Amino acid sequence: MTSDNPPQPRVLTRDSTLARKNRVASCQKDREKKLGEKPDGWSCDEYPFASTQEGGANARAQWVPASENNRQGGKMMNFYRSQQIIDRDKFIVKAVLKR
């Protein structure tokens, strides 16, 4: 792993008050300089999520199809709601490869 890609956390802390600020820091500030020109129909996605304390300027970001990004955002909100995760609650992120 290069110094440009520090290890990303698995344990995140929800903080909805930071979402807008984190999204600007990770996906709007100099995004085309970092990610290249945005393809039509794509949007910037980041990890750690903008809705967490760990998100923001050090998040990894990349272009993804806008429809997938919107769907994932809805899934995150449903996850927070169904699991009753409120601000300052910690949760673990586990990637699962679908085959």
Side-chain angles (χ1 to χ4, degrees):
M1 204 170 279
T2 68
S3 61
D4 291 342
N5 294 316
Q8 298 296 316
R10 287 185 52 216
V11 177
L12 301 179
T13 309
R14 183 176 183 193
D15 192 336
S16 60
T17 66
L18 294 175
R20 184 178 304 260
K21 177 183 171 188
N22 284 348
R23 201 166 284 112
V24 167
S26 64
C27 278
Q28 291 179 345
K29 188 177 181 184
D30 300 326
R31 67 181 175 188
E32 290 193 359
K33 182 179 177 183
K34 293 178 194 175
L35 304 176
E37 187 175 338
K38 182 181 98 154
D40 288 340
W42 290 56
S43 64
C44 181
D45 195 12
E46 75 286 327
Y47 183 85
F49 311 117
S51 59
T52 66
Q53 290 178 5
E54 297 78 14
N58 292 323
R60 291 185 189 178
Q62 68 181 52
W63 298 123
V64 298
S67 60
E68 289 181 24
N69 199 9
N70 293 336
R71 193 167 34 252
Q72 183 61 36
K75 287 181 179 183
M76 283 300 303
M77 290 299 107
N78 286 336
F79 168 73
Y80 288 150
R81 195 174 312 118
S82 69
Q83 300 304 308
Q84 300 178 16
I85 295 174
I86 60 173
D87 285 345
R88 293 189 300 278
D89 281 353
K90 294 187 179 301
F91 61 97
I92 295 171
V93 176
K94 180 180 178 182
V96 177
L97 180 63
K98 282 186 157 183
R99 294 182 189 239

Coordinates of all heavy atoms in Angstrom, one line a residue:
M1 N 0.8 -1.2 0.0 CA 0.0 0.0 0.0 C 0.9 1.2 0.0 O 1.9 1.3 0.7 CB -0.9 0.0 1.2 CG -2.1 0.8 1.1 SD -3.3 0.5 2.5 CE -4.0 -1.1 1.9
T2 N 0.5 2.2 -0.8 CA 1.3 3.4 -0.9 C 0.9 4.4 0.2 O -0.2 4.3 0.8 CB 1.2 4.1 -2.3 OG1 -0.1 4.6 -2.4 CG2 1.5 3.1 -3.4
S3 N 1.7 5.4 0.4 CA 1.4 6.5 1.4 C 0.1 7.2 1.0 O -0.5 7.9 1.8 CB 2.6 7.4 1.6 OG 2.9 8.0 0.4
D4 N -0.2 7.2 -0.4 CA -1.4 7.9 -0.8 C -2.7 7.2 -0.4 O -3.8 7.7 -0.5 CB -1.4 8.0 -2.3 CG -0.3 9.0 -2.8 OD1 0.1 9.8 -2.0 OD2 0.0 9.0 -4.0
N5 N -2.5 5.9 -0.1 CA -3.7 5.1 0.3 C -3.5 4.5 1.7 O -3.2 3.3 1.8 CB -3.9 3.9 -0.7 CG -4.2 4.5 -2.1 OD1 -5.1 5.4 -2.2 ND2 -3.6 4.0 -3.1
P6 N -3.7 5.3 2.7 CA -3.5 4.7 4.1 C -4.6 3.7 4.3 O -5.7 3.7 3.7 CB -3.7 5.9 5.0 CG -4.5 6.9 4.2 CD -4.1 6.6 2.8
P7 N -4.3 2.7 5.3 CA -5.3 1.7 5.6 C -6.6 2.4 6.1 O -6.6 3.4 6.7 CB -4.7 0.9 6.8 CG -3.3 1.3 6.7 CD -3.1 2.6 6.1
Q8 N -7.7 1.9 5.6 CA -9.0 2.4 6.0 C -9.7 1.7 7.1 O -9.5 0.4 7.2 CB -10.0 2.4 4.8 CG -9.4 3.3 3.6 CD -9.3 4.7 4.0 OE1 -10.2 5.3 4.6 NE2 -8.2 5.4 3.6
P9 N -10.3 2.4 8.0 CA -10.9 1.7 9.2 C -12.1 0.8 9.0 O -12.8 1.0 8.0 CB -11.3 2.9 10.1 CG -11.6 4.0 9.1 CD -10.6 3.8 8.0
R10 N -12.2 -0.2 9.8 CA -13.4 -1.1 9.7 C -14.4 -0.7 10.7 O -15.6 -1.0 10.6 CB -13.0 -2.6 10.0 CG -12.2 -3.2 8.9 CD -11.9 -4.7 9.2 NE -13.1 -5.4 9.5 CZ -13.2 -6.3 10.4 NH1 -12.1 -6.7 11.1 NH2 -14.3 -7.0 10.7
V11 N -14.0 -0.1 11.8 CA -14.9 0.4 12.8 C -15.2 1.9 12.6 O -14.2 2.7 12.5 CB -14.4 0.2 14.3 CG1 -15.4 0.7 15.3 CG2 -14.1 -1.3 14.5
L12 N -16.4 2.2 12.3 CA -16.8 3.6 12.0 C -17.7 4.1 13.1 O -18.4 3.4 13.8 CB -17.5 3.7 10.7 CG -16.6 3.2 9.5 CD1 -17.5 3.3 8.2 CD2 -15.3 3.9 9.4
T13 N -17.8 5.4 13.2 CA -18.6 6.1 14.2 C -19.6 7.0 13.4 O -19.1 8.0 12.8 CB -17.8 6.9 15.2 OG1 -16.7 6.1 15.7 CG2 -18.6 7.5 16.3
R14 N -20.9 6.8 13.5 CA -21.8 7.6 12.8 C -21.8 9.0 13.4 O -21.7 9.3 14.6 CB -23.2 7.0 13.0 CG -24.2 7.9 12.2 CD -25.6 7.4 12.2 NE -26.4 8.2 11.3 CZ -27.7 8.2 11.3 NH1 -28.4 7.3 12.0 NH2 -28.4 9.0 10.5
D15 N -21.9 10.0 12.5 CA -22.0 11.4 12.8 C -22.6 12.1 11.7 O -22.0 12.6 10.8 CB -20.6 12.0 13.2 CG -20.7 13.4 13.8 OD1 -21.8 14.0 13.6 OD2 -19.8 13.8 14.5
S16 N -23.9 12.2 11.7 CA -24.7 12.8 10.6 C -24.4 14.3 10.5 O -24.6 14.9 9.4 CB -26.2 12.6 10.8 OG -26.6 13.1 12.0
T17 N -23.9 14.9 11.6 CA -23.7 16.4 11.5 C -22.5 16.7 10.6 O -22.3 17.8 10.1 CB -23.4 17.0 12.9 OG1 -22.2 16.4 13.4 CG2 -24.5 16.7 13.8
L18 N -21.6 15.7 10.3 CA -20.4 15.9 9.5 C -20.6 15.5 8.0 O -19.8 15.7 7.2 CB -19.3 15.0 10.0 CG -18.7 15.4 11.4 CD1 -17.7 14.4 11.9 CD2 -18.2 16.8 11.4
A19 N -21.8 14.9 7.7 CA -22.0 14.4 6.3 C -21.7 15.4 5.2 O -20.9 15.1 4.3 CB -23.4 13.8 6.2
R20 N -22.3 16.5 5.3 CA -22.1 17.5 4.2 C -20.6 18.0 4.2 O -20.0 18.0 3.1 CB -23.0 18.7 4.5 CG -22.9 19.8 3.4 CD -23.9 20.9 3.7 NE -25.3 20.4 3.8 CZ -26.2 20.4 2.9 NH1 -25.9 21.0 1.7 NH2 -27.4 20.0 3.1
K21 N -20.0 18.3 5.3 CA -18.6 18.7 5.4 C -17.7 17.6 4.8 O -16.8 17.9 4.0 CB -18.3 19.1 6.8 CG -16.8 19.5 7.0 CD -16.5 19.8 8.5 CE -15.1 19.9 8.7 NZ -14.7 20.0 10.1
N22 N -17.9 16.4 5.2 CA -17.1 15.3 4.8 C -17.2 15.0 3.3 O -16.3 14.7 2.6 CB -17.4 14.0 5.6 CG -16.9 14.0 7.0 OD1 -16.1 14.8 7.3 ND2 -17.4 13.1 7.8
R23 N -18.4 15.1 2.8 CA -18.7 14.9 1.4 C -17.9 16.0 0.5 O -17.3 15.7 -0.5 CB -20.2 14.9 1.1 CG -20.5 14.3 -0.2 CD -22.0 14.0 -0.3 NE -22.4 12.8 0.5 CZ -23.1 12.9 1.6 NH1 -23.6 14.0 2.0 NH2 -23.4 11.8 2.3
V24 N -17.9 17.2 1.0 CA -17.2 18.3 0.3 C -15.7 18.0 0.3 O -15.0 18.1 -0.7 CB -17.5 19.7 0.9 CG1 -16.5 20.7 0.4 CG2 -18.9 20.1 0.6
A25 N -15.2 17.6 1.5 CA -13.8 17.3 1.7 C -13.3 16.1 0.8 O -12.2 16.1 0.3 CB -13.4 17.1 3.1
S26 N -14.1 15.1 0.7 CA -13.7 13.9 0.0 C -14.1 13.9 -1.5 O -13.4 13.3 -2.3 CB -14.3 12.6 0.6 OG -15.7 12.6 0.6
C27 N -15.2 14.5 -1.9 CA -15.7 14.3 -3.2 C -15.9 15.6 -4.0 O -16.2 15.6 -5.2 CB -17.0 13.6 -3.2 SG -16.8 11.8 -3.1
Q28 N -15.7 16.8 -3.4 CA -15.9 18.0 -4.2 C -14.6 18.8 -4.3 O -14.4 19.4 -5.3 CB -17.0 18.8 -3.6 CG -18.4 18.1 -3.8 CD -19.5 18.9 -3.2 OE1 -19.4 19.8 -2.5 NE2 -20.7 18.5 -3.6
K29 N -13.8 18.8 -3.3 CA -12.6 19.6 -3.3 C -11.6 19.0 -4.2 O -11.1 17.9 -3.9 CB -12.1 19.8 -1.9 CG -10.9 20.7 -1.8 CD -10.4 20.9 -0.4 CE -9.3 21.9 -0.4 NZ -8.7 22.1 0.9
D30 N -11.3 19.6 -5.3 CA -10.3 19.1 -6.3 C -10.6 17.7 -6.8 O -9.7 17.0 -7.2 CB -8.9 19.1 -5.7 CG -8.5 20.5 -5.3 OD1 -8.8 21.5 -5.9 OD2 -7.7 20.6 -4.3
R31 N -11.9 17.3 -6.8 CA -12.2 15.9 -7.2 C -11.7 15.5 -8.6 O -11.2 14.4 -8.8 CB -13.6 15.6 -7.0 CG -14.5 16.3 -8.0 CD -16.0 15.9 -7.7 NE -16.8 16.8 -8.6 CZ -18.1 16.8 -8.5 NH1 -18.7 16.1 -7.6 NH2 -18.8 17.6 -9.3
E32 N -11.9 16.4 -9.6 CA -11.5 16.0 -10.9 C -9.9 15.9 -11.0 O -9.4 15.1 -11.8 CB -12.1 16.9 -12.0 CG -13.6 16.6 -12.0 CD -14.2 17.2 -13.3 OE1 -13.6 17.9 -14.1 OE2 -15.5 17.0 -13.4
K33 N -9.3 16.7 -10.2 CA -7.8 16.6 -10.2 C -7.4 15.3 -9.6 O -6.4 14.7 -10.1 CB -7.3 17.8 -9.3 CG -5.8 17.9 -9.2 CD -5.4 19.1 -8.4 CE -3.9 19.1 -8.2 NZ -3.5 20.2 -7.3
K34 N -8.1 14.8 -8.6 CA -7.8 13.5 -7.9 C -8.2 12.3 -8.7 O -7.6 11.3 -8.8 CB -8.4 13.5 -6.5 CG -7.9 14.4 -5.5 CD -8.6 14.3 -4.2 CE -8.4 15.4 -3.3 NZ -9.2 15.3 -2.1
L35 N -9.5 12.4 -9.3 CA -10.1 11.3 -9.9 C -10.1 11.2 -11.4 O -10.5 10.3 -12.0 CB -11.6 11.2 -9.3 CG -11.8 11.1 -7.8 CD1 -13.3 11.2 -7.5 CD2 -11.1 10.0 -7.2
G36 N -9.8 12.3 -12.0 CA -9.9 12.4 -13.4 C -11.3 13.0 -13.8 O -12.1 13.1 -12.9
E37 N -11.6 13.2 -15.0 CA -12.8 13.8 -15.4 C -14.0 12.8 -15.1 O -13.9 11.6 -15.3 CB -12.8 14.1 -17.0 CG -14.0 14.8 -17.4 CD -13.9 15.2 -18.9 OE1 -12.7 15.2 -19.4 OE2 -14.9 15.4 -19.5
K38 N -15.1 13.4 -14.6 CA -16.2 12.6 -14.3 C -17.0 12.1 -15.5 O -17.4 12.8 -16.4 CB -17.2 13.4 -13.4 CG -18.4 12.6 -13.0 CD -19.4 13.5 -12.2 CE -20.4 13.9 -13.1 NZ -21.7 14.3 -12.6
P39 N -17.1 10.8 -15.6 CA -17.9 10.2 -16.7 C -19.4 10.6 -16.6 O -19.9 10.7 -15.5 CB -17.7 8.7 -16.6 CG -16.6 8.5 -15.7 CD -16.6 9.7 -14.8
D40 N -20.1 10.7 -17.7 CA -21.5 11.0 -17.7 C -22.3 9.9 -16.9 O -22.0 8.7 -17.1 CB -22.1 11.1 -19.1 CG -21.6 12.4 -19.8 OD1 -21.2 13.4 -19.1 OD2 -21.7 12.4 -21.1
G41 N -23.2 10.3 -16.1 CA -24.0 9.4 -15.3 C -23.3 8.7 -14.1 O -23.8 7.8 -13.5
W42 N -22.1 9.3 -13.8 CA -21.4 8.7 -12.6 C -21.3 9.8 -11.5 O -21.6 11.0 -11.8 CB -20.0 8.4 -13.0 CG -19.9 7.1 -13.9 CD1 -20.6 7.0 -15.1 CD2 -19.2 6.0 -13.7 NE1 -20.3 5.7 -15.6 CE2 -19.5 5.1 -14.8 CE3 -18.4 5.5 -12.7 CZ2 -18.9 3.8 -14.9 CZ3 -17.8 4.2 -12.8 CH2 -18.1 3.4 -13.9
S43 N -21.0 9.4 -10.3 CA -20.9 10.3 -9.2 C -19.8 9.8 -8.3 O -19.3 8.7 -8.4 CB -22.2 10.4 -8.4 OG -22.5 9.2 -7.8
C44 N -19.3 10.7 -7.4 CA -18.2 10.4 -6.5 C -18.8 9.6 -5.3 O -19.8 10.0 -4.7 CB -17.6 11.7 -6.1 SG -16.1 11.5 -5.0
D45 N -18.0 8.6 -5.0 CA -18.4 7.8 -3.8 C -17.1 7.7 -2.9 O -16.0 7.7 -3.4 CB -18.8 6.4 -4.2 CG -19.5 5.7 -3.0 OD1 -19.9 6.3 -2.0 OD2 -19.7 4.4 -3.2
E46 N -17.3 7.7 -1.6 CA -16.2 7.7 -0.7 C -16.3 6.7 0.4 O -17.4 6.2 0.8 CB -16.1 9.1 0.0 CG -17.1 9.4 1.0 CD -18.5 9.7 0.5 OE1 -18.6 10.3 -0.6 OE2 -19.4 9.3 1.2
Y47 N -15.1 6.3 0.9 CA -15.0 5.4 2.1 C -13.8 5.8 2.9 O -12.8 6.0 2.3 CB -14.9 3.9 1.7 CG -14.9 3.1 3.0 CD1 -16.1 2.6 3.5 CD2 -13.7 2.8 3.7 CE1 -16.1 1.9 4.7 CE2 -13.7 2.1 4.8 CZ -14.9 1.6 5.4 OH -14.9 0.9 6.5
P48 N -14.0 6.0 4.2 CA -15.1 5.9 5.0 C -16.3 6.8 4.6 O -16.0 7.9 4.0 CB -14.6 6.2 6.4 CG -13.2 6.1 6.4 CD -12.8 6.4 5.0
F49 N -17.5 6.4 4.9 CA -18.7 7.1 4.5 C -18.7 8.5 5.1 O -18.2 8.8 6.2 CB -19.9 6.4 5.0 CG -19.9 4.9 4.7 CD1 -19.9 3.9 5.7 CD2 -19.9 4.4 3.4 CE1 -19.9 2.6 5.5 CE2 -19.9 3.1 3.1 CZ -19.9 2.2 4.2
A50 N -19.3 9.4 4.3 CA -19.4 10.8 4.7 C -20.1 11.0 6.0 O -19.9 11.9 6.8 CB -20.0 11.7 3.6
S51 N -21.1 10.1 6.3 CA -21.9 10.2 7.5 C -21.2 9.6 8.7 O -21.9 9.4 9.7 CB -23.2 9.4 7.3 OG -22.9 8.0 7.0
T52 N -19.9 9.5 8.7 CA -19.1 9.0 9.8 C -18.0 10.0 10.2 O -17.6 10.8 9.4 CB -18.5 7.6 9.6 OG1 -17.5 7.8 8.6 CG2 -19.5 6.6 9.2
Q53 N -17.6 9.9 11.5 CA -16.5 10.7 12.0 C -15.2 10.4 11.2 O -14.4 11.3 11.0 CB -16.2 10.5 13.5 CG -17.3 11.0 14.3 CD -17.1 10.7 15.8 OE1 -16.1 10.2 16.2 NE2 -18.1 11.1 16.6
E54 N -15.0 9.2 10.7 CA -13.8 8.9 10.0 C -13.8 9.3 8.5 O -12.7 9.3 7.9 CB -13.6 7.3 10.1 CG -13.5 6.8 11.5 CD -14.8 6.7 12.3 OE1 -15.9 6.8 11.7 OE2 -14.7 6.5 13.5
G55 N -14.9 9.7 8.0 CA -15.0 10.2 6.6 C -14.3 11.6 6.5 O -13.8 12.2 7.4
G56 N -14.3 12.1 5.3 CA -13.8 13.4 5.0 C -12.5 13.4 4.2 O -12.4 12.6 3.2
A57 N -11.6 14.3 4.5 CA -10.5 14.6 3.6 C -9.6 13.3 3.3 O -9.0 13.2 2.3 CB -9.6 15.7 4.2
N58 N -9.5 12.4 4.3 CA -8.6 11.2 4.1 C -9.4 10.0 3.5 O -8.8 9.0 3.4 CB -7.9 10.9 5.4 CG -6.9 11.9 5.8 OD1 -6.2 12.5 5.0 ND2 -6.9 12.2 7.1
A59 N -10.6 10.2 3.2 CA -11.4 9.1 2.6 C -10.9 8.8 1.2 O -10.4 9.6 0.5 CB -12.9 9.5 2.6
R60 N -11.0 7.5 0.8 CA -10.7 7.1 -0.6 C -12.0 7.5 -1.4 O -13.1 7.2 -0.9 CB -10.5 5.7 -0.7 CG -9.2 5.3 0.0 CD -8.9 3.8 -0.3 NE -7.7 3.4 0.5 CZ -7.3 2.2 0.5 NH1 -7.9 1.2 -0.1 NH2 -6.2 1.9 1.3
A61 N -11.8 8.0 -2.6 CA -12.9 8.4 -3.4 C -12.7 7.9 -4.8 O -11.6 7.7 -5.2 CB -13.1 9.9 -3.4
Q62 N -13.8 7.6 -5.5 CA -13.7 7.2 -6.9 C -15.1 7.4 -7.5 O -16.1 7.6 -6.9 CB -13.3 5.7 -7.0 CG -14.4 4.7 -6.5 CD -13.9 3.3 -6.7 OE1 -12.8 2.9 -6.2 NE2 -14.7 2.5 -7.3
W63 N -15.1 7.4 -8.9 CA -16.3 7.6 -9.6 C -17.0 6.2 -9.7 O -16.4 5.2 -9.9 CB -16.0 8.0 -11.1 CG -15.3 9.3 -11.2 CD1 -14.1 9.6 -11.8 CD2 -15.8 10.6 -10.7 NE1 -13.8 10.9 -11.7 CE2 -14.9 11.6 -11.1 CE3 -16.9 11.0 -10.0 CZ2 -15.0 12.9 -10.8 CZ3 -17.1 12.3 -9.7 CH2 -16.1 13.3 -10.1
V64 N -18.3 6.2 -9.5 CA -19.1 5.0 -9.6 C -20.4 5.4 -10.3 O -20.8 6.6 -10.3 CB -19.5 4.5 -8.2 CG1 -18.2 4.0 -7.4 CG2 -20.3 5.5 -7.3
P65 N -21.1 4.4 -10.9 CA -22.4 4.8 -11.5 C -23.3 5.5 -10.5 O -23.5 5.0 -9.4 CB -22.9 3.4 -12.0 CG -21.7 2.6 -12.1 CD -20.8 3.0 -11.1
A66 N -23.9 6.6 -10.9 CA -24.8 7.4 -10.0 C -25.9 6.5 -9.4 O -26.3 6.6 -8.3 CB -25.3 8.6 -10.7
S67 N -26.5 5.6 -10.3 CA -27.6 4.8 -9.8 C -27.2 3.9 -8.6 O -27.9 3.7 -7.7 CB -28.2 4.0 -10.9 OG -27.2 3.2 -11.5
E68 N -26.0 3.3 -8.7 CA -25.4 2.5 -7.7 C -25.2 3.3 -6.4 O -25.4 2.8 -5.3 CB -24.2 1.8 -8.1 CG -24.4 0.7 -9.2 CD -23.1 0.0 -9.6 OE1 -22.2 0.0 -8.8 OE2 -23.1 -0.6 -10.7
N69 N -24.6 4.5 -6.6 CA -24.3 5.3 -5.4 C -25.6 5.7 -4.7 O -25.6 5.7 -3.5 CB -23.5 6.5 -5.9 CG -22.8 7.2 -4.8 OD1 -22.7 6.7 -3.7 ND2 -22.2 8.4 -5.1
N70 N -26.6 6.1 -5.5 CA -27.9 6.4 -4.8 C -28.5 5.3 -4.1 O -29.0 5.4 -3.0 CB -28.9 7.0 -5.9 CG -28.4 8.3 -6.5 OD1 -27.6 9.0 -5.8 ND2 -28.8 8.6 -7.7
R71 N -28.5 4.1 -4.7 CA -29.0 2.9 -4.1 C -28.2 2.6 -2.8 O -28.9 2.3 -1.8 CB -28.9 1.7 -5.1 CG -29.7 0.5 -4.7 CD -29.9 -0.5 -5.8 NE -28.8 -0.7 -6.7 CZ -28.8 -0.3 -8.0 NH1 -29.8 0.3 -8.5 NH2 -27.7 -0.5 -8.8
Q72 N -26.9 2.7 -2.8 CA -26.1 2.4 -1.6 C -26.4 3.4 -0.5 O -26.5 3.0 0.6 CB -24.6 2.4 -2.0 CG -23.7 2.1 -0.8 CD -24.0 0.7 -0.3 OE1 -24.3 -0.2 -1.0 NE2 -23.9 0.5 1.0
G73 N -26.6 4.7 -0.9 CA -27.0 5.7 0.1 C -28.3 5.3 0.8 O -28.4 5.5 2.0
G74 N -29.3 4.8 0.1 CA -30.5 4.4 0.6 C -30.3 3.2 1.6 O -30.9 3.1 2.6
K75 N -29.5 2.3 1.2 CA -29.2 1.1 2.0 C -28.5 1.5 3.3 O -28.8 1.0 4.4 CB -28.3 0.1 1.3 CG -29.0 -0.6 0.2 CD -28.1 -1.6 -0.5 CE -28.9 -2.4 -1.6 NZ -28.0 -3.4 -2.2
M76 N -27.6 2.5 3.3 CA -27.0 3.0 4.5 C -28.0 3.6 5.4 O -28.0 3.3 6.6 CB -25.9 4.0 4.2 CG -24.6 3.5 3.6 SD -23.8 2.3 4.8 CE -23.6 3.3 6.2
M77 N -28.9 4.4 4.9 CA -29.9 5.1 5.7 C -30.9 4.0 6.3 O -31.2 4.1 7.5 CB -30.7 6.1 4.9 CG -30.0 7.3 4.6 SD -29.4 8.3 6.0 CE -27.6 7.9 6.0
N78 N -31.2 3.0 5.6 CA -32.1 1.9 6.1 C -31.3 1.1 7.2 O -31.9 0.7 8.1 CB -32.5 1.0 5.0 CG -33.6 1.6 4.1 OD1 -34.3 2.5 4.5 ND2 -33.6 1.1 2.8
F79 N -30.0 0.9 7.0 CA -29.2 0.2 8.0 C -29.2 1.0 9.3 O -29.4 0.5 10.3 CB -27.8 0.0 7.4 CG -26.8 -0.4 8.5 CD1 -26.8 -1.7 9.0 CD2 -25.8 0.5 8.9 CE1 -25.9 -2.1 9.9 CE2 -24.9 0.1 9.9 CZ -24.9 -1.2 10.4
Y80 N -28.9 2.3 9.2 CA -28.9 3.1 10.4 C -30.2 3.1 11.1 O -30.3 2.9 12.3 CB -28.6 4.6 10.0 CG -27.2 4.9 9.6 CD1 -26.9 5.9 8.7 CD2 -26.1 4.2 10.1 CE1 -25.6 6.2 8.3 CE2 -24.8 4.5 9.7 CZ -24.5 5.5 8.9 OH -23.3 5.8 8.5
R81 N -31.3 3.2 10.3 CA -32.6 3.2 10.9 C -33.0 1.8 11.5 O -33.4 1.7 12.7 CB -33.7 3.5 9.9 CG -35.0 3.9 10.4 CD -35.9 4.4 9.3 NE -35.3 5.4 8.4 CZ -35.1 5.2 7.1 NH1 -35.5 4.2 6.5 NH2 -34.5 6.2 6.4
S82 N -32.8 0.7 10.8 CA -33.2 -0.6 11.2 C -32.4 -1.1 12.4 O -32.9 -1.8 13.3 CB -33.1 -1.6 10.1 OG -31.8 -1.9 9.7
Q83 N -31.1 -0.7 12.5 CA -30.2 -1.1 13.6 C -30.2 -0.1 14.7 O -29.4 -0.3 15.7 CB -28.8 -1.4 13.0 CG -28.8 -2.4 12.0 CD -29.4 -3.8 12.4 OE1 -29.0 -4.3 13.5 NE2 -30.3 -4.3 11.7
Q84 N -31.0 1.0 14.5 CA -31.1 2.0 15.5 C -29.7 2.6 15.9 O -29.3 2.9 17.0 CB -31.8 1.5 16.8 CG -33.2 1.1 16.5 CD -33.9 0.5 17.8 OE1 -33.5 0.8 18.9 NE2 -35.0 -0.2 17.5
I85 N -28.9 2.9 14.8 CA -27.6 3.5 15.0 C -27.7 5.0 14.9 O -28.2 5.5 13.9 CB -26.6 3.0 13.9 CG1 -26.4 1.5 14.1 CG2 -25.3 3.7 13.9 CD1 -25.6 0.8 13.0
I86 N -27.4 5.6 16.0 CA -27.5 7.1 16.1 C -26.1 7.7 16.2 O -25.1 7.0 16.3 CB -28.4 7.5 17.3 CG1 -27.8 7.0 18.6 CG2 -29.8 7.0 17.2 CD1 -28.4 7.5 19.9
D87 N -26.1 9.0 16.1 CA -24.8 9.7 16.2 C -24.0 9.2 17.4 O -24.5 9.1 18.5 CB -25.0 11.2 16.2 CG -25.4 11.7 14.9 OD1 -25.2 11.0 13.9 OD2 -25.8 12.9 14.8
R88 N -22.7 9.0 17.2 CA -21.7 8.5 18.1 C -21.7 7.0 18.4 O -20.9 6.5 19.1 CB -21.7 9.3 19.4 CG -21.3 10.8 19.3 CD -21.2 11.5 20.6 NE -22.4 11.6 21.4 CZ -23.4 12.4 21.3 NH1 -23.3 13.3 20.3 NH2 -24.4 12.4 22.1
D89 N -22.7 6.3 17.7 CA -22.6 4.8 17.8 C -21.6 4.3 16.9 O -21.4 4.8 15.7 CB -24.0 4.2 17.4 CG -25.0 4.3 18.5 OD1 -24.7 4.7 19.6 OD2 -26.2 4.0 18.2
K90 N -20.9 3.3 17.3 CA -19.9 2.7 16.5 C -20.5 1.4 15.8 O -21.4 0.8 16.4 CB -18.7 2.3 17.3 CG -17.9 3.5 17.9 CD -16.6 3.0 18.5 CE -15.9 4.2 19.1 NZ -15.5 5.2 18.1
F91 N -20.0 1.1 14.6 CA -20.4 -0.1 13.9 C -19.2 -0.6 13.1 O -18.3 0.1 12.8 CB -21.6 0.2 13.0 CG -21.5 1.2 12.0 CD1 -21.2 0.8 10.7 CD2 -21.6 2.5 12.2 CE1 -21.0 1.8 9.7 CE2 -21.4 3.5 11.2 CZ -21.1 3.1 10.0
I92 N -19.3 -1.9 12.8 CA -18.2 -2.6 12.0 C -18.7 -2.7 10.6 O -19.8 -3.1 10.3 CB -17.9 -3.9 12.6 CG1 -17.4 -3.8 14.1 CG2 -16.9 -4.7 11.8 CD1 -17.2 -5.1 14.8
V93 N -17.7 -2.5 9.7 CA -18.0 -2.6 8.2 C -17.3 -3.9 7.8 O -16.1 -4.1 8.1 CB -17.4 -1.4 7.4 CG1 -17.6 -1.7 5.9 CG2 -18.1 -0.2 7.9
K94 N -18.0 -4.8 7.2 CA -17.5 -6.1 6.7 C -17.8 -6.2 5.2 O -19.0 -6.2 4.9 CB -18.0 -7.3 7.5 CG -17.5 -8.6 7.0 CD -18.0 -9.7 7.9 CE -17.5 -11.0 7.4 NZ -18.1 -12.2 8.1
A95 N -16.8 -6.3 4.4 CA -17.1 -6.4 3.0 C -17.4 -7.9 2.7 O -16.7 -8.8 3.2 CB -15.9 -6.0 2.2
V96 N -18.4 -8.1 1.9 CA -18.8 -9.5 1.5 C -18.8 -9.6 0.0 O -19.5 -8.8 -0.7 CB -20.1 -9.9 2.1 CG1 -20.5 -11.2 1.6 CG2 -20.2 -9.7 3.6
L97 N -18.0 -10.5 -0.6 CA -17.9 -10.6 -2.0 C -19.1 -11.5 -2.5 O -19.3 -12.6 -2.0 CB -16.6 -11.3 -2.4 CG -16.4 -11.5 -3.9 CD1 -16.3 -10.2 -4.6 CD2 -15.1 -12.3 -4.1
K98 N -19.9 -10.9 -3.4 CA -21.0 -11.7 -4.0 C -20.5 -12.4 -5.2 O -19.8 -11.8 -6.0 CB -22.1 -10.7 -4.4 CG -23.0 -10.3 -3.2 CD -24.1 -9.5 -3.8 CE -25.3 -9.4 -2.8 NZ -26.4 -8.7 -3.4
R99 N -20.9 -13.6 -5.3 CA -20.5 -14.4 -6.5 C -21.7 -14.9 -7.2 O -22.8 -15.1 -6.7 CB -19.7 -15.6 -6.1 CG -18.3 -15.1 -5.6 CD -17.5 -16.3 -5.2 NE -16.3 -15.8 -4.5 CZ -15.1 -15.9 -4.9 NH1 -14.8 -16.6 -6.0 NH2 -14.1 -15.4 -4.3

